[in-house]
Amino acid sequence: MGAILLSRELPGTPEALFNTIISPTTWEHWFGIHREFVGKPPERLAQGSTVVSEVLIHGMAEEVEWTARRLDEPNRVVLRGIGQTGVQCDFTYWLQATDTGTTVTAGITFTGLLITEAVTKALEKHGYEQLDRTLGQLAELACALHE
């Protein structure tokens, strides 16, 4: 199993960031691993709803079914992705209001038969950079859409 945890202070309110995260139609603009949807995604995720997308992780394409496991508006989003190869990844976003915006803590865990020690090290190494970019793009889009 591998894990990545990153916190960043972002502009925008928890509500704006939360609403952007749970709107799959925005993912192409900020969710760094997302490539395209398989079928038409809903406008907004509800707890328990699913969406299928193609992702690109460390140069490998995979079709992933995402389930909104937990939506605690506006403070937490938990998405579970299960790929066709059995790889499972959980993305959790914690959103905490601050005087100047929102502290976003993003946690990712990934497991599965293909997740060897070498794969884990590579995913963790490149994952921090990817996640940092993703959070920056999320903030830009959330501010543009909701404020």
Side-chain angles (χ1 to χ4, degrees), residues 44-138:
R44 181 179 169 97
L45 294 174
Q47 193 158 312
S49 63
T50 62
V51 62
V52 178
S53 75
E54 182 180 299
V55 301
L56 187 64
I57 300 175
H58 203 55
M60 297 180 356
E62 171 101 46
E63 195 171 286
V64 174
E65 180 179 83
W66 297 98
T67 301
R69 304 260 308 163
R70 188 162 184 169
L71 303 176
D72 299 327
E73 191 170 353
N75 301 111
R76 182 170 41 174
V77 176
V78 180
L79 302 174
R80 171 164 291 162
I82 299 177
Q84 293 177 314
T85 60
V87 171
Q88 178 178 301
C89 54
D90 290 309
F91 282 71
T92 302
Y93 299 92
W94 293 273
L95 311 163
Q96 179 65 45
T98 66
D99 291 339
T100 58
T102 301
T103 297
V104 177
T105 301
I108 305 169
T109 60
F110 40 92
T111 60
L113 293 176
L114 298 178
I115 306 298
T116 64
E117 187 175 331
V119 170
T120 296
K121 286 181 182 179
L123 288 174
E124 288 175 346
K125 179 182 178 186
H126 298 290
Y128 283 103
E129 297 166 8
Q130 176 85 30
L131 186 55
D132 189 53
R133 264 193 316 276
T134 290
L135 292 178
Q137 291 169 332
L138 170 64

